[in-house]
């Protein structure tokens, strides 16, 4: 497991982690009135949040090679584009009866939970390298 | 003007106010990108590490904007008051 | 020149035509929107932390993991005020306590708007805590061996910075559940 962690790049680990977090959140759907719409919602939201993270990575890779002022403008315009896409995704989730909005919101923050949990994994990795 | 229309009008105002939250992450990510580009200019061989640090920070910063968006769209399209 | 008392009378007359529930719900909708303005704070603060973290990594790429973990811990705390605002907005939307209260509709709808106004205070803690997280990441980048102390100091400062945000939350909760203007 530890070997696998170090072989994968950090970004890939976090994207896989986002998927795992979505999977862990899925069983909670069975306490809601309509489990299938909740699970579909998590799938939809989680998939979008992972794609969003990938898009962000591509944008940052490009921006980093620019001069600082230009990079700032580039990132800001790209941020508002992503914000617009998020708006469309949440709109679709709200008007679609097949998607439970709470499931979609949980899916959207899955990548964030994964990022915050990665700090715990880092500690293990660092101590593993030192030993 | 009926009561429902008045609630709808006020919900539209509320949704507009909630969308203001989107500015914050924009400013923050812009600052992060500026600092990151500066750091790469100073030390180009550390580029991938710099992007990584920035990316994780920015991914966390993005969610507050999404909260505002969710409240705004609920007020517009799934208003619980009507 | 417009006679101001006349304008106030016109507005009151316009609002009078609706029943109490309509006015309260309309106030709650505006209040929920106002509460979410608070999201600006954590956004700016966490972005600042990300920038400082990137700068620290650029100076010394070997300490990247320590810098990232401090930055993310600080950013997670900076998020608190945004979450509190979201909670207040969702209470106003889905579990509105004002509808069940019996008091003047003016007081109740003004209280609903005031809940949202109070939560705007969360901008301050969001920016401040993000600033602390960024500076802590910078410090860890310079002296990685002092990470424990730096993190502890950062958390202490962030806890103190959170107080004003908590005051705002308390005011909002008092207005919602123990309103002194009612009864």
């Amino acid at each position: 497991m530890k070997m696998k962690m170090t072989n994968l790049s950090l970004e890939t680990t976090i994207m896989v982690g986002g998927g795992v977090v979505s999977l862990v959140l899925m069983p909670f759907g069975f306490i809601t009135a309509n489990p299938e719409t909740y699970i579909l919602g998590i799938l939809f939201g989680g998939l979008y949040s992972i794609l969003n993270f990938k898009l962000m990575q591509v944008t940052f890779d490009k921006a980093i090679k620019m001069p600082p002022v230009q990079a700032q403008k580039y990132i800001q315009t790209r941020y508002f584009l992503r914000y617009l896409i998020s708006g469309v995704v949440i709109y679709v989730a709200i008007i679609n009866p097949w998607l439970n909005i709470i499931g979609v919101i949980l899916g959207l923050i899955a990548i964030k939970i994964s990022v915050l949990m990665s700090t715990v994994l880092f500690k293990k990795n660092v101590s593993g390298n030192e030993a | 003007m009926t009561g429902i229309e008045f609630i709808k009008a006020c919900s539209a105002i509320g949704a507009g106010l909630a969308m203001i939250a989107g500015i914050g992450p924009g400013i923050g990510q812009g600052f992060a990108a500026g600092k990151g580009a500066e750091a790469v200019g100073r030390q180009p061989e550390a580029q991938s590490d710099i992007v990584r640090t920035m990316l994780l920070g920015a991914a966390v910063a993005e969610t507050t904007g999404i909260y505002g968006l969710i409240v705004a769209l609920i007020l517009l399209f799934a208003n619980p008051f009507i | 020149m417009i006679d101001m008392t006349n304008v106030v009378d016109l507005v009151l007359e316009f609002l009078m035509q609706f029943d109490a529930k309509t006015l309260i719900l309309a106030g709650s909708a505006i209040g929920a929107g106002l509460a979410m303005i608070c999201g600006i704070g954590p956004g700016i603060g966490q972005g600042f932390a990300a920038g400082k973290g990137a700068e620290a990594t650029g100076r010394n790429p070997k300490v990247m993991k320590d810098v990232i973990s401090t930055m993310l811990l600080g950013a997670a705390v900076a998020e608190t005020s945004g979450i509190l605002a979201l909670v207040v907005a969702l209470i106003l939307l889905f579990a509105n306590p004002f509808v069940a209260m019996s008091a003047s509709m003016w007081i109740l709808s003004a209280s609903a708007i005031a809940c949202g106004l109070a939560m705007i205070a969360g901008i301050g803690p969001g920016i401040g805590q993000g600033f602390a997280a960024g500076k802590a990441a910078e410090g860890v980048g310079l002296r990685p061996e002092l990470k424990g102390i730096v993190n502890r100091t950062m958390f202490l400062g962030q806890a103190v910075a959170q107080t004003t945000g908590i005051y705002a939350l308390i005011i909002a909760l008092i207005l919602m559940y123990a309103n002194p203007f009612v009864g």
Side-chain angles (χ1 to χ4, degrees):
Chain A
M1 184 65 190
K2 206 172 271 176
M3 280 305 291
K4 222 178 172 185
M5 293 288 308
T6 43
N7 283 345
L8 284 175
S9 79
L10 190 59
E11 292 86 348
T12 323
T13 318
I14 281 173
M15 279 189 263
V16 172
V20 172
V21 169
S22 307
L23 280 179
V24 169
L25 287 171
M26 270 180 199
F28 291 101
F30 291 104
I31 57 172
T32 63
N34 228 347
E36 62 265 42
T37 60
Y38 174 89
I39 288 172
L40 271 177
I42 284 204
L43 266 180
F44 184 69
L47 212 65
Y48 170 70
S49 74
I50 291 170
L51 284 178
N52 193 43
F53 187 75
K54 182 77 200 164
L55 200 63
M56 213 151 123
Q57 189 197 338
V58 173
T59 318
F60 274 43
D61 271 334
K62 241 184 228 168
I64 209 78
K65 296 184 188 102
M66 298 174 180
V69 178
Q70 200 189 338
Q72 194 173 343
K73 276 180 193 153
Y74 179 77
I75 286 289
Q76 274 166 354
T77 47
R78 288 307 148 112
Y79 164 74
F80 282 110
L81 276 181
R82 279 201 309 277
Y83 195 58
L84 209 71
I85 301 172
S86 306
V88 172
V89 165
I90 297 168
Y91 170 72
V92 167
I94 285 177
I95 60 161
N96 197 333
W98 280 99
L99 299 169
N100 183 338
I101 181 66
I102 295 171
V104 173
I105 293 171
L106 284 177
L108 282 176
I109 58 173
I111 205 86
K112 181 177 178 173
I113 298 171
S114 168
V115 169
L116 293 179
M117 293 227 294
S118 67
T119 50
V120 183
L121 295 174
F122 275 152
K123 267 180 206 157
K124 277 182 197 159
N125 259 356
V126 170
S127 58
N129 291 345
E130 279 166 1
Chain B
M1 197 186 224
T2 63
I4 299 264
E5 279 171 349
F6 185 60
I7 293 180
K8 276 185 183 163
C10 285
S11 299
I13 296 176
L17 288 170
M19 290 292 281
I20 296 178
I23 300 173
I27 298 174
Q29 288 190 5
F31 178 85
K35 282 280 173 200
E38 230 170 69
V40 169
R42 216 179 294 125
Q43 204 157 358
E45 70 275 11
Q47 187 189 324
S48 64
D49 286 343
I50 292 169
V51 173
R52 227 164 252 176
T53 314
M54 221 164 83
L55 185 65
L56 294 193
V60 173
E62 190 144 296
T63 34
T64 40
I66 292 188
Y67 296 154
L69 201 59
I70 289 170
V71 169
L73 289 171
I74 284 178
L75 276 173
L76 287 180
F77 300 110
N79 201 319
F81 297 150
I82 298 172
Chain C
M1 199 178 145
I2 308 165
D3 188 3
M4 280 313 285
T5 51
N6 207 10
V7 173
V8 172
D9 276 349
L10 279 176
V11 171
L12 283 182
E13 211 172 283
F14 170 72
L15 291 175
M16 258 343 168
Q17 63 177 305
F18 305 113
D19 58 341
K21 198 177 174 216
T22 307
L23 273 187
I24 292 169
L25 292 184
S28 303
I30 295 180
L34 280 171
M36 289 320 292
I37 294 182
C38 167
I40 296 178
I44 296 178
Q46 290 168 343
F48 181 84
K52 279 287 172 194
E55 204 179 21
T57 307
R59 210 177 288 127
N60 185 3
K62 266 178 245 141
V63 297
M64 181 186 75
K65 282 174 177 169
D66 290 329
V67 169
I68 289 184
S69 87
T70 301
M71 180 189 82
L72 288 180
L73 283 175
V77 177
E79 180 86 8
T80 332
S81 34
I83 306 238
L84 295 181
L86 183 69
V87 167
V88 168
L90 290 181
I91 289 178
L92 281 174
L93 284 178
F94 293 105
N96 200 316
F98 294 114
V99 179
M101 286 183 197
S102 55
S104 159
M105 61 184 185
W106 304 109
I107 290 175
L108 292 181
S109 67
S111 297
I113 295 177
C115 282
L117 278 175
M119 291 318 290
I120 295 181
I123 292 178
I127 297 179
Q129 290 169 340
F131 190 81
K135 283 288 177 189
E138 198 179 18
V140 169
L142 291 175
R143 302 282 298 273
E145 69 275 12
L146 295 181
K147 190 182 162 201
I149 300 173
V150 172
N151 277 356
R152 240 175 293 142
T153 314
M154 177 187 76
F155 282 137
L156 194 66
Q158 287 182 326
V160 176
Q162 186 67 55
T163 20
T164 48
I166 298 286
Y167 294 155
L169 181 72
I170 289 173
I171 293 295
L173 288 179
I174 285 178
L175 282 173
M176 281 195 278
Y177 296 109
N179 199 320
F181 303 126
V182 172

